[in-house]
Amino acid sequence: MGMWIGRNRKARVTYGFDEIALVPGRVTINPNEVDTTFRIPRRNAEPLELKIPILASAMDGVVDVRFAVAMSKLGGLAVLNLEGVQTRYKNPQEVLQKVVEADKSEVTSLLQRIYQEPVQPQLIAARIRQIKDGGAVAAVSSIPQRAQEFGAIAQEAGADVFVVQSTVSTVRHISSEYQSLDLEKFCREMRIPVIVGNTVGYDVTFEIMECGPAAVLIGVGPGAACTSRGVLGLGVPQVTATVDCAAARDAYFKKTARYVPIITDGGMSRGGDVCKALACGADAVMVGSAFAKADEAPGSGYHWGMATPHANLPRGTRIKVGTTGSLKQILFGPAEVDDGSQNLVGAITTCMGNVGARDLAEFQQTEIIIAPSIKTEGKLFQAVQSVGMGTK
Amino acid sequence: MGMWIGRNRKARVTYGFDEIALVPGRVTINPNEVDTTFRIPRRNAEPLELKIPILASAMDGVVDVRFAVAMSKLGGLAVLNLEGVQTRYKNPQEVLQKVVEADKSEVTSLLQRIYQEPVQPQLIAARIRQIKDGGAVAAVSSIPQRAQEFGAIAQEAGADVFVVQSTVSTVRHISSEYQSLDLEKFCREMRIPVIVGNTVGYDVTFEIMECGPAAVLIGVGPGAACTSRGVLGLGVPQVTATVDCAAARDAYFKKTARYVPIITDGGMSRGGDVCKALACGADAVMVGSAFAKADEAPGSGYHWGMATPHANLPRGTRIKVGTTGSLKQILFGPAEVDDGSQNLVGAITTCMGNVGARDLAEFQQTEIIIAPSIKTEGKLFQAVQSVGMGTK
Amino acid sequence: MGMWIGRNRKARVTYGFDEIALVPGRVTINPNEVDTTFRIPRRNAEPLELKIPILASAMDGVVDVRFAVAMSKLGGLAVLNLEGVQTRYKNPQEVLQKVVEADKSEVTSLLQRIYQEPVQPQLIAARIRQIKDGGAVAAVSSIPQRAQEFGAIAQEAGADVFVVQSTVSTVRHISSEYQSLDLEKFCREMRIPVIVGNTVGYDVTFEIMECGPAAVLIGVGPGAACTSRGVLGLGVPQVTATVDCAAARDAYFKKTARYVPIITDGGMSRGGDVCKALACGADAVMVGSAFAKADEAPGSGYHWGMATPHANLPRGTRIKVGTTGSLKQILFGPAEVDDGSQNLVGAITTCMGNVGARDLAEFQQTEIIIAPSIKTEGKLFQAVQSVGMGTK
Amino acid sequence: MGMWIGRNRKARVTYGFDEIALVPGRVTINPNEVDTTFRIPRRNAEPLELKIPILASAMDGVVDVRFAVAMSKLGGLAVLNLEGVQTRYKNPQEVLQKVVEADKSEVTSLLQRIYQEPVQPQLIAARIRQIKDGGAVAAVSSIPQRAQEFGAIAQEAGADVFVVQSTVSTVRHISSEYQSLDLEKFCREMRIPVIVGNTVGYDVTFEIMECGPAAVLIGVGPGAACTSRGVLGLGVPQVTATVDCAAARDAYFKKTARYVPIITDGGMSRGGDVCKALACGADAVMVGSAFAKADEAPGSGYHWGMATPHANLPRGTRIKVGTTGSLKQILFGPAEVDDGSQNLVGAITTCMGNVGARDLAEFQQTEIIIAPSIKTEGKLFQAVQSVGMGTK
């Protein structure tokens, strides 16, 4: 396993979504009859059941209160970022408007300024209550350094799920400047499910699972607005990352009989990418840019990474994704565009039907092939005319 | 066989047309003296003989009655789609005109509307009789769900070949909402040859052959106007798909002494692609976009997939291919364009001559190489100037 | 050796120029002190010695009498095509002018018309005498079908080298319509050296060498103006083709003690490509488009393949290469352009110096690496700004 | 180790920066607490300590006296080219201005003219004293043929480091026209550390280390303004080159207990590339184009290779990189651009933190993966909109 990249040194070959394809099954199933339920385990309660295995990313161009309510009602789950504009500003709308209107050359420094405003604890509680008042499941996220503080507030305010998220998560973080989060203790003491991320490796995922989270987020750097892979050279393509972490989940389950779902996060903009992630072993996916296109998204068709506002080393950019339809249309169709970015759930069920998978567990067993030509074979006209699979 | 794509999981490496090339032979033959006859077996009759191993796809921008007659007279076979505009509309011409004139942004919803008009059984019979009246072989197609009904009408009306076609065909389709087609029974009861597709795998192809079809169509998602590979992540590149299914055909022949030809369907726009498909083991090819360029094609230089009008999850797009010459010119030349899209039969016979193959059975034995550089080596000027192999 | 491309079928992996690079040596040599002499063996005479291992292709946009004389005086060898405009027209200049002025959309049919004019035997003799009168070595070429006839005329007129060239050459060509050239007999009966091509495989090259040619041309389809690889799907990338045929040459030499040089023909536009061909084992290279850029070239900066005018299945196109300097500058510099297309001989000697090769035989032993990133690593600005290695 | 590229001939597969990625660690570290010190050994003194492992290339668009002083004060080291305009012209500013203003079509010949002016020995001494007067470490470079002469002058004038640099360096250079530099004698006789380059191979690097240099430069042809790879076909991608030479360094250290650092030179324009080079085993990196973007750079946002002015065979080009900020900002941020070209040191420390490396020696042990999709996975919008990782 691995190729020589030079004298005495080998490297594994890893794969991304565009390099693989899924193989049709020997049995096919009517897509209306497949089951896409995703369950987030809870310690002292029935699992939280989502009808569709899709989460919306904790990004400011994607999720605000209104979006979170809409997403929950449609069967998915949106995560509100506790360190974004929603908890720094009482009226985030005008701040968002500035981001949208900023020129390409000044947007990085504008974001740096905007995110220097401190987070207001009372806004955390307020946003969560607004989501709950909307009749929705409330999921919120923070970085590890603030998890202790924000976690307590969020739980108190009625949040249903808490996400601890950083670019690279491990159980062992070394610092003498500040105290690292004790993940095991944190998961044990929180009464609501804790989702932890992001990670990409077998060993780290296994170690994180030993700390007791409800689920783990998979992916370093694939996001549409993220530049970590260019700025830091860091990351593992999502196919290999998902397969590796699925193996960790299965090994952990074999050892403990506790099933900790993994959620592939980032790099999926079309139905085909989502299908591939699930077939690689993900229990659910977390999607950002695809939802930034929704009428309901607060970014008005713009999208940016949470590492973009970093004061010193921004690792993201603002991209324009456009507004293409309602969230309902993006999730369930009818698709009015031809590029696979609408009706994501229809894509999942149709693909499940074609590979003969009755539920997500069977979908995870789909035969995968390495097929880089899948992107281009026969598609010259689509590429040249920017339609269908060639849409830009 | 296979590469590790992650922990505990391997994937086969698969290939598309652009990644391979054919190796010149040790013997060469005068191209005028090679035999390209393709035979579709019939149960109680001599095989249906086609002088050239090329079928035209059952797509509305390609085949109507006039086109079917022209194609048959030139030695090939065109398949009329029984679920397209020809059988939904008495005067399909004005509907086709609307598709051609529609703006890129509205064409998907227009197609969705157009294809909601129900199929009229009497038009099925009428179209078939028009083809027969033109002195041509009549081939028609439907999806499995309507094969029973339409097959009876078509046979009664004098059709010579019936094609049952869906995105992914298997022998075992599970549904409680509707009754699946019993393929074995259908093939047995039809008096005319039944061609079944599409499929891409060894096992499925073998199982389908056991149901008694006259031929099998190979290919999931390669079509020029198809977006299944992007929308669903599904498909196998055509080189590997053809090689695998040719192996199934040969194994089935070894077991039963019945030879069921395979027809590679989709992904071939130039002579070189057609030659590669045959060299990979196809007995014939089915081509769409290349014929949408014909003067005789009803789409006036536009081309769209049959899954494009899907009400909820369109899996295709409309592309513009232009009108470049007569069908005769596309099949037999003289080529007036320099991109390999005209004189497809001349390309086949010249290539057969250069590899030293006297007939299609020998052509299937051609040495193949993996040669991704074949597309670009020495071709910078053609690419930059959009001429020859760089034509867009 | 080979990868599975599908069930029961393997294919070799083959390489083109852009996928490899040459490794600097442990010893380096002053480039002024390396020897680039190339020798074409003659049966009853000393070998024909060329100071530089470069031939100009028998193409109408490259070689006419004036060009042939200039090339010979500079130490290389230009081949005049006996089936081009020079022997069909007394005043080829006006015909060439039409080709140059033709619109992209009509050039193929114009070429088809121009090349229907019959070849005039007396013009063959006249052109050869004009070259000889210029004090140059005269090399001319024909297709196998006319080799017997034109070979006699050419020899009589004083030609020094005769080239028999077709897209794919083998010793065994099957035809009942016409008599194939008996290559062994032809080589034996001609008094001047016969160069034969084109071929790409070990076995065929070995068989051709057994017929007694002075050298063999290597390459099917790589030419800048050739489209065979797209139209027919046929060809082997030049790195693998050259390595394979060099192995045949060495095996033939081991068996017979007769050294038959191989000349890699096509796909090389820059110095780096020429160096790679020689390092792969070529004894010399034949170059077309690079010389079409010379002030002396008859095509005025345009270039087209000899298969382009084919009446029924053209397998080439006309490209614009521009006129960038004198032939002397293209061969020996000083280079005024930054893309490697000038000073080809300087590139050869500098590269030989850097890999530590004193002569071409040592250069053929250079360590080669597979290095697709060599084209792009660090070169983003050159690509985006179309300078240096990004020149288009 | 190696693939068959043809009969009887194998070639190693080699890798460049864009084909690999770094894997996050099982342990992570606060980036503020990692150590990036790089040490250049000195024979009879403590090593020369650089706070950051980054050198600026000896190129005329990058380094002049002012730049060298600024770079040294920020903790890095800039090398002044003793054969550039700074030592040929008393007032290089006006010459530089001409290069900047020249049209693309005439810049090569302008550079050829400019660099024909002879180097003035008194200017060598003057420039070095100006750097020393600025309170900076002075590093200067020459080609091997002039090292003896210029080395003496430089040492006398107070230089701290002397660099002997040519496209391809070996210990054994054969020439009868001139006397080759005796590298072993030169290193022994110089009192200041001698850095030698460039090289790419294990054996050559080992042989050079045996001559006693303080460090070795790694890289043939990757530079942003270099065209050697196109013009000569020569070079090894930087990942493999660095890994191979790191192996030579480690083997040499094992044998002699003398640690000779290697400095990867060229092909790195963003933080991610620098991180990859260090992770591949480099002790430091040498960067050109990234610094040509500094306010302090003498090229005013233009950049060209030192082989570009070659009178006969230029192997470089002039590219425009633009002026994007101060040198301090490029090294330490705050980054105002989103493409990874600012805050290179922040990128190094953040990446070290994420892979869990406390110092450069640990960073060299980072797990590397082959991951060509890392450039594109999820990044369609960035590519199409030319932002972030798609910046051009």
Side-chain angles (χ1 to χ4, degrees):
Chain A
M1 201 160 165
M3 302 275 287
W4 294 104
I5 55 167
R7 200 117 169 179
N8 301 341
R9 196 153 182 180
K10 276 189 156 184
R12 290 171 73 196
V13 182
T14 61
Y15 297 90
F17 291 127
D18 284 344
E19 296 168 310
I20 66 160
L22 309 182
V23 178
R26 287 178 74 166
V27 173
T28 48
I29 301 178
N30 176 356
N32 295 337
E33 303 180 32
V34 303
D35 176 5
T36 62
T37 309
F38 165 56
R39 291 174 186 82
I40 301 174
R42 286 191 283 204
R43 249 202 313 272
N44 303 309
E46 287 300 291
L48 185 63
E49 240 180 55
L50 303 180
K51 272 189 311 184
I52 59 173
I54 306 182
L55 287 79
S57 308
M59 297 172 89
D60 279 354
V62 179
V63 180
D64 63 1
V65 169
R66 182 170 74 128
F67 186 97
V69 171
M71 184 73 181
S72 183
K73 296 204 163 160
L74 289 164
L77 182 63
V79 181
L80 187 84
N81 183 359
L82 295 186
E83 273 145 314
V85 293
Q86 301 294 331
T87 53
R88 293 180 198 266
Y89 295 92
K90 210 163 172 182
N91 296 309
Q93 202 44 50
E94 45 190 73
V95 168
L96 289 165
Q97 197 54 32
K98 276 186 205 155
V99 176
V100 165
E101 283 166 4
D103 186 73
K104 189 168 133 176
S105 65
E106 59 185 23
V107 69
T108 298
S109 48
L110 172 69
L111 287 167
Q112 289 170 329
R113 274 200 310 281
I114 287 174
Y115 285 83
Q116 258 157 20
E117 188 74 17
V119 172
Q120 302 183 41
Q122 76 276 17
L123 280 179
I124 294 181
R127 298 301 177 215
I128 291 170
R129 278 193 300 268
Q130 288 168 344
I131 295 173
K132 296 304 295 179
D133 289 349
V137 177
V140 294
S141 78
S142 91
I143 56 169
Q145 289 90 319
R146 312 202 73 173
Q148 205 88 37
E149 178 192 353
F150 292 174
I153 301 172
Q155 191 167 256
E156 180 64 30
D160 300 286
V161 174
F162 194 80
V163 180
V164 183
Q165 195 166 14
S166 61
T167 303
V168 174
S169 275
T170 62
V171 172
R172 293 172 277 168
H173 181 73
I174 299 172
S175 175
S176 62
E177 282 184 3
Y178 50 81
Q179 169 129 27
S180 303
L181 175 70
D182 181 335
L183 189 60
E184 195 276 332
K185 182 161 170 285
F186 181 72
C187 290
R188 194 175 58 233
E189 292 179 356
M190 288 289 284
R191 294 186 308 272
I192 58 176
V194 175
I195 296 176
V196 177
N198 284 22
T199 178
V200 288
Y202 178 94
D203 293 321
V204 176
T205 301
F206 198 97
E207 287 179 2
I208 289 177
M209 286 179 175
E210 292 182 313
C211 294
V216 181
L217 293 165
I218 309 305
V220 172
C226 180
T227 62
S228 287
R229 290 176 171 182
V231 173
L232 305 179
L234 203 73
V236 173
Q238 286 291 51
V239 165
T240 296
T242 301
V243 170
D244 282 356
C245 297
R249 174 199 60 207
D250 294 347
Y252 182 75
F253 177 70
K254 202 171 166 187
K255 186 180 167 195
T256 66
R258 193 169 83 85
Y259 188 87
V260 185
I262 62 169
I263 302 163
T264 296
D265 172 19
M268 297 154 287
S269 57
R270 300 166 307 166
D273 300 330
V274 169
C275 293
K276 289 175 185 177
L278 296 170
C280 283
D283 296 284
V285 298
M286 180 175 260
V287 167
S289 66
F291 290 137
K293 294 176 176 178
D295 296 336
E296 291 89 343
S300 307
Y302 283 85
H303 183 54
W304 56 97
M306 289 317 296
T308 303
H310 191 286
N312 213 39
L313 183 63
R315 295 187 305 278
T317 187
R318 184 197 62 178
I319 57 176
K320 181 173 184 181
V321 297
T323 300
T324 61
S326 69
L327 177 58
K328 186 160 175 230
Q329 209 169 7
I330 291 173
L331 283 173
F332 297 103
E336 280 174 359
V337 297
D338 58 7
D339 65 354
S341 70
Q342 292 185 343
N343 198 355
L344 298 179
V345 176
I348 294 173
T349 55
T350 304
C351 189
M352 289 176 74
N354 278 325
V355 304
R358 262 165 307 200
D359 54 29
L360 294 176
E362 284 189 11
F363 199 21
Q364 293 172 346
Q365 311 299 322
T366 304
E367 185 186 349
I368 291 171
I369 51 174
I370 299 169
S373 65
I374 214 82
K375 277 167 63 189
T376 52
E377 192 182 56
K379 309 302 177 201
L380 181 59
F381 282 110
Q382 294 187 34
V384 171
Q385 296 169 22
S386 292
V387 294
M389 289 170 64
T391 300
K392 280 169 191 162
Chain B
M1 200 161 167
M3 301 276 287
W4 294 105
I5 55 168
R7 200 117 169 179
N8 300 342
R9 196 151 181 181
K10 275 190 155 183
R12 291 171 73 196
V13 182
T14 61
Y15 296 91
F17 291 127
D18 284 345
E19 296 169 309
I20 67 160
L22 309 183
V23 179
R26 289 178 74 166
V27 173
T28 48
I29 301 178
N30 175 356
N32 296 337
E33 303 181 32
V34 303
D35 176 6
T36 61
T37 310
F38 166 55
R39 289 173 187 83
I40 300 174
R42 288 191 283 203
R43 248 203 312 274
N44 303 310
E46 286 300 290
L48 185 63
E49 240 180 57
L50 304 180
K51 273 189 310 181
I52 60 173
I54 306 183
L55 286 81
S57 308
M59 296 173 89
D60 278 355
V62 180
V63 180
D64 63 0
V65 169
R66 182 171 74 128
F67 187 96
V69 170
M71 185 73 181
S72 182
K73 295 203 163 160
L74 288 164
L77 182 64
V79 181
L80 187 84
N81 183 358
L82 295 186
E83 272 144 316
V85 294
Q86 301 294 330
T87 53
R88 293 179 200 267
Y89 295 92
K90 209 162 174 185
N91 296 310
Q93 203 44 49
E94 46 192 68
V95 168
L96 289 165
Q97 197 53 32
K98 278 185 203 156
V99 176
V100 164
E101 284 165 5
D103 186 72
K104 190 167 131 176
S105 65
E106 60 185 20
V107 69
T108 299
S109 47
L110 172 70
L111 286 167
Q112 289 170 328
R113 274 199 310 281
I114 287 175
Y115 285 83
Q116 259 157 18
E117 188 73 18
V119 172
Q120 303 181 41
Q122 77 278 18
L123 281 178
I124 294 181
R127 298 301 177 215
I128 292 169
R129 277 193 300 268
Q130 288 167 344
I131 296 172
K132 296 304 295 180
D133 289 349
V137 176
V140 293
S141 78
S142 91
I143 56 170
Q145 290 90 318
R146 311 202 73 173
Q148 205 88 34
E149 178 193 352
F150 292 174
I153 301 171
Q155 192 168 257
E156 180 63 30
D160 299 287
V161 174
F162 194 81
V163 179
V164 182
Q165 195 165 14
S166 61
T167 304
V168 172
S169 275
T170 61
V171 172
R172 292 172 279 167
H173 181 72
I174 298 172
S175 176
S176 62
E177 282 183 4
Y178 50 80
Q179 169 129 27
S180 303
L181 176 70
D182 181 336
L183 189 59
E184 196 276 333
K185 181 160 169 286
F186 181 71
C187 290
R188 193 176 59 232
E189 292 180 356
M190 287 290 283
R191 295 185 309 272
I192 58 175
V194 175
I195 296 176
V196 177
N198 283 21
T199 178
V200 287
Y202 178 93
D203 293 322
V204 176
T205 301
F206 198 97
E207 286 180 1
I208 288 176
M209 287 179 174
E210 292 182 313
C211 295
V216 181
L217 293 165
I218 309 303
V220 172
C226 180
T227 62
S228 288
R229 290 175 173 182
V231 173
L232 305 180
L234 203 73
V236 174
Q238 286 290 51
V239 165
T240 297
T242 302
V243 170
D244 282 356
C245 297
R249 174 199 60 206
D250 294 348
Y252 182 75
F253 178 71
K254 202 170 164 189
K255 187 181 167 193
T256 66
R258 192 169 83 86
Y259 189 87
V260 184
I262 62 169
I263 302 164
T264 297
D265 172 19
M268 298 154 286
S269 57
R270 301 165 306 165
D273 300 330
V274 169
C275 293
K276 289 175 185 178
L278 296 169
C280 283
D283 296 283
V285 297
M286 180 174 260
V287 168
S289 65
F291 291 137
K293 294 176 175 177
D295 296 335
E296 291 89 344
S300 305
Y302 283 85
H303 183 53
W304 57 96
M306 289 317 294
T308 304
H310 191 285
N312 213 39
L313 183 64
R315 294 187 305 278
T317 187
R318 183 197 62 178
I319 57 176
K320 181 173 183 181
V321 297
T323 300
T324 61
S326 68
L327 177 59
K328 187 163 175 228
Q329 210 171 5
I330 290 173
L331 283 173
F332 297 103
E336 279 174 0
V337 297
D338 59 8
D339 65 353
S341 69
Q342 293 185 342
N343 198 356
L344 298 179
V345 176
I348 294 173
T349 55
T350 304
C351 189
M352 289 175 74
N354 278 325
V355 304
R358 264 166 305 200
D359 55 30
L360 295 176
E362 283 189 14
F363 198 22
Q364 292 172 347
Q365 311 298 322
T366 305
E367 185 185 350
I368 291 171
I369 51 173
I370 298 168
S373 66
I374 214 81
K375 277 167 64 188
T376 52
E377 192 181 57
K379 308 302 178 202
L380 181 59
F381 283 111
Q382 293 187 34
V384 171
Q385 295 169 23
S386 292
V387 294
M389 288 171 63
T391 300
K392 282 168 192 163
Chain C
M1 201 160 166
M3 303 275 286
W4 294 104
I5 54 168
R7 199 118 170 177
N8 300 341
R9 196 152 181 181
K10 275 189 155 184
R12 290 172 72 195
V13 182
T14 61
Y15 296 90
F17 291 126
D18 284 344
E19 295 168 310
I20 67 160
L22 308 182
V23 179
R26 289 178 74 165
V27 173
T28 48
I29 301 177
N30 176 354
N32 295 338
E33 302 181 32
V34 303
D35 176 6
T36 61
T37 310
F38 166 55
R39 291 172 186 84
I40 300 172
R42 287 191 283 203
R43 249 202 313 274
N44 303 309
E46 287 299 291
L48 185 62
E49 239 179 57
L50 303 180
K51 272 189 309 182
I52 60 173
I54 306 183
L55 287 80
S57 308
M59 296 172 91
D60 279 354
V62 180
V63 181
D64 63 0
V65 169
R66 182 170 77 127
F67 187 97
V69 170
M71 183 74 180
S72 183
K73 294 203 164 161
L74 288 164
L77 182 64
V79 181
L80 187 84
N81 183 356
L82 295 187
E83 273 145 313
V85 294
Q86 301 294 330
T87 54
R88 292 181 199 265
Y89 295 91
K90 211 162 173 185
N91 297 310
Q93 203 45 49
E94 46 192 69
V95 168
L96 289 165
Q97 197 53 32
K98 277 186 205 158
V99 175
V100 164
E101 285 166 3
D103 185 73
K104 189 168 133 176
S105 65
E106 59 186 22
V107 69
T108 299
S109 47
L110 172 70
L111 286 166
Q112 288 171 328
R113 274 199 310 281
I114 287 175
Y115 285 82
Q116 258 158 19
E117 188 73 18
V119 173
Q120 303 182 41
Q122 77 277 17
L123 280 179
I124 294 180
R127 298 302 177 214
I128 292 169
R129 278 193 299 268
Q130 288 168 344
I131 295 172
K132 296 303 297 178
D133 289 350
V137 176
V140 293
S141 77
S142 91
I143 56 169
Q145 289 90 319
R146 311 202 73 174
Q148 206 87 34
E149 177 192 354
F150 292 173
I153 301 171
Q155 191 167 257
E156 181 64 29
D160 298 287
V161 174
F162 194 82
V163 179
V164 182
Q165 195 165 13
S166 61
T167 303
V168 174
S169 276
T170 61
V171 172
R172 292 172 277 168
H173 181 74
I174 298 172
S175 174
S176 62
E177 282 184 3
Y178 50 82
Q179 169 129 29
S180 303
L181 176 70
D182 181 334
L183 189 60
E184 196 277 331
K185 181 162 171 286
F186 181 72
C187 290
R188 193 175 61 234
E189 292 179 356
M190 288 289 283
R191 294 185 309 271
I192 59 176
V194 175
I195 296 176
V196 177
N198 282 22
T199 178
V200 288
Y202 178 93
D203 293 321
V204 175
T205 301
F206 198 97
E207 286 180 2
I208 288 176
M209 287 179 175
E210 291 183 315
C211 295
V216 180
L217 293 166
I218 309 304
V220 171
C226 180
T227 61
S228 288
R229 290 175 173 183
V231 174
L232 305 180
L234 203 73
V236 174
Q238 286 290 51
V239 165
T240 296
T242 302
V243 170
D244 282 357
C245 297
R249 174 199 60 206
D250 294 347
Y252 182 74
F253 178 71
K254 203 170 163 188
K255 185 179 168 194
T256 66
R258 193 170 82 86
Y259 189 87
V260 184
I262 62 169
I263 302 162
T264 297
D265 172 19
M268 298 154 285
S269 57
R270 301 165 306 166
D273 300 330
V274 169
C275 294
K276 290 175 185 178
L278 296 169
C280 284
D283 296 283
V285 297
M286 180 174 261
V287 168
S289 65
F291 291 138
K293 294 176 177 178
D295 296 335
E296 292 88 343
S300 306
Y302 283 85
H303 183 54
W304 56 96
M306 290 317 295
T308 303
H310 191 286
N312 213 39
L313 183 63
R315 295 187 305 279
T317 186
R318 183 197 63 176
I319 56 176
K320 181 173 185 181
V321 297
T323 300
T324 61
S326 69
L327 177 59
K328 188 164 174 225
Q329 211 170 4
I330 290 172
L331 283 173
F332 297 103
E336 280 174 359
V337 297
D338 59 8
D339 65 352
S341 68
Q342 292 186 342
N343 198 356
L344 298 179
V345 176
I348 294 173
T349 55
T350 304
C351 188
M352 288 175 74
N354 278 325
V355 304
R358 263 166 306 202
D359 55 28
L360 294 177
E362 284 189 13
F363 199 21
Q364 293 171 347
Q365 311 298 322
T366 305
E367 184 186 349
I368 291 170
I369 51 173
I370 298 168
S373 65
I374 214 81
K375 278 168 62 187
T376 52
E377 192 181 56
K379 308 302 178 201
L380 181 59
F381 282 111
Q382 294 187 34
V384 171
Q385 295 169 24
S386 291
V387 295
M389 287 170 65
T391 300
K392 281 166 191 165
Chain D
M1 201 161 166
M3 302 275 288
W4 293 104
I5 55 168
R7 200 117 170 178
N8 301 341
R9 197 153 182 180
K10 275 190 156 183
R12 290 171 73 194
V13 182
T14 61
Y15 297 91
F17 291 127
D18 284 344
E19 295 168 310
I20 66 160
L22 309 182
V23 179
R26 287 178 73 165
V27 173
T28 48
I29 302 178
N30 176 354
N32 295 338
E33 302 180 34
V34 303
D35 176 6
T36 62
T37 310
F38 165 56
R39 290 173 185 83
I40 301 173
R42 287 191 284 203
R43 249 203 312 272
N44 304 309
E46 287 300 291
L48 185 63
E49 240 180 57
L50 303 180
K51 274 190 308 184
I52 60 173
I54 307 183
L55 286 80
S57 308
M59 297 173 88
D60 278 355
V62 179
V63 180
D64 63 0
V65 169
R66 182 171 75 129
F67 187 96
V69 171
M71 183 74 181
S72 183
K73 295 204 163 160
L74 288 164
L77 183 63
V79 182
L80 187 83
N81 184 359
L82 295 186
E83 274 145 314
V85 294
Q86 301 294 331
T87 53
R88 293 180 198 267
Y89 295 92
K90 210 162 173 184
N91 297 309
Q93 203 45 49
E94 44 190 72
V95 168
L96 289 164
Q97 197 52 33
K98 275 185 207 158
V99 176
V100 165
E101 284 165 4
D103 185 74
K104 189 168 134 176
S105 65
E106 60 185 22
V107 70
T108 299
S109 47
L110 172 70
L111 285 167
Q112 289 170 329
R113 275 199 309 281
I114 287 174
Y115 285 83
Q116 258 157 19
E117 188 73 17
V119 172
Q120 302 183 43
Q122 76 278 15
L123 279 178
I124 293 181
R127 298 301 177 216
I128 291 169
R129 277 193 299 268
Q130 289 168 344
I131 295 172
K132 296 304 295 179
D133 289 349
V137 176
V140 294
S141 78
S142 90
I143 56 169
Q145 289 90 318
R146 312 203 72 173
Q148 205 87 35
E149 178 192 354
F150 292 174
I153 301 170
Q155 191 167 257
E156 181 63 30
D160 300 286
V161 174
F162 194 81
V163 180
V164 182
Q165 195 166 14
S166 61
T167 303
V168 173
S169 274
T170 62
V171 173
R172 292 171 278 168
H173 181 73
I174 298 171
S175 175
S176 62
E177 282 184 2
Y178 50 80
Q179 169 128 29
S180 303
L181 175 71
D182 181 335
L183 188 59
E184 195 277 333
K185 183 161 169 286
F186 181 72
C187 290
R188 193 176 59 234
E189 292 179 356
M190 287 290 282
R191 295 185 307 272
I192 59 175
V194 175
I195 296 176
V196 177
N198 284 21
T199 178
V200 287
Y202 178 93
D203 293 321
V204 176
T205 302
F206 198 97
E207 287 179 1
I208 289 176
M209 286 179 175
E210 292 182 314
C211 294
V216 180
L217 293 165
I218 310 305
V220 171
C226 180
T227 61
S228 287
R229 290 175 172 181
V231 173
L232 304 179
L234 203 72
V236 174
Q238 286 290 52
V239 165
T240 296
T242 302
V243 171
D244 281 356
C245 296
R249 173 199 61 206
D250 294 347
Y252 182 74
F253 178 70
K254 201 171 166 189
K255 186 180 168 194
T256 67
R258 193 170 82 85
Y259 189 87
V260 184
I262 62 169
I263 301 163
T264 297
D265 172 18
M268 296 154 287
S269 58
R270 301 166 306 166
D273 300 330
V274 169
C275 293
K276 290 176 184 177
L278 295 169
C280 283
D283 296 283
V285 298
M286 179 174 261
V287 168
S289 66
F291 291 137
K293 294 177 176 177
D295 296 336
E296 291 89 344
S300 306
Y302 283 85
H303 183 54
W304 57 96
M306 290 316 296
T308 303
H310 191 285
N312 214 38
L313 183 64
R315 294 187 306 278
T317 187
R318 184 198 62 177
I319 57 176
K320 181 173 185 181
V321 298
T323 300
T324 61
S326 69
L327 177 58
K328 187 162 175 230
Q329 209 170 6
I330 290 172
L331 283 173
F332 297 103
E336 281 174 358
V337 296
D338 59 7
D339 65 353
S341 69
Q342 291 186 342
N343 198 357
L344 298 180
V345 176
I348 294 173
T349 56
T350 304
C351 188
M352 289 176 74
N354 278 324
V355 304
R358 263 165 306 200
D359 56 28
L360 294 176
E362 284 189 11
F363 199 22
Q364 293 172 348
Q365 311 298 321
T366 304
E367 184 186 350
I368 292 170
I369 51 174
I370 299 168
S373 65
I374 215 80
K375 278 167 64 187
T376 52
E377 192 182 56
K379 307 304 178 201
L380 181 60
F381 282 110
Q382 294 187 34
V384 171
Q385 295 169 23
S386 291
V387 295
M389 288 170 64
T391 300
K392 281 168 190 163

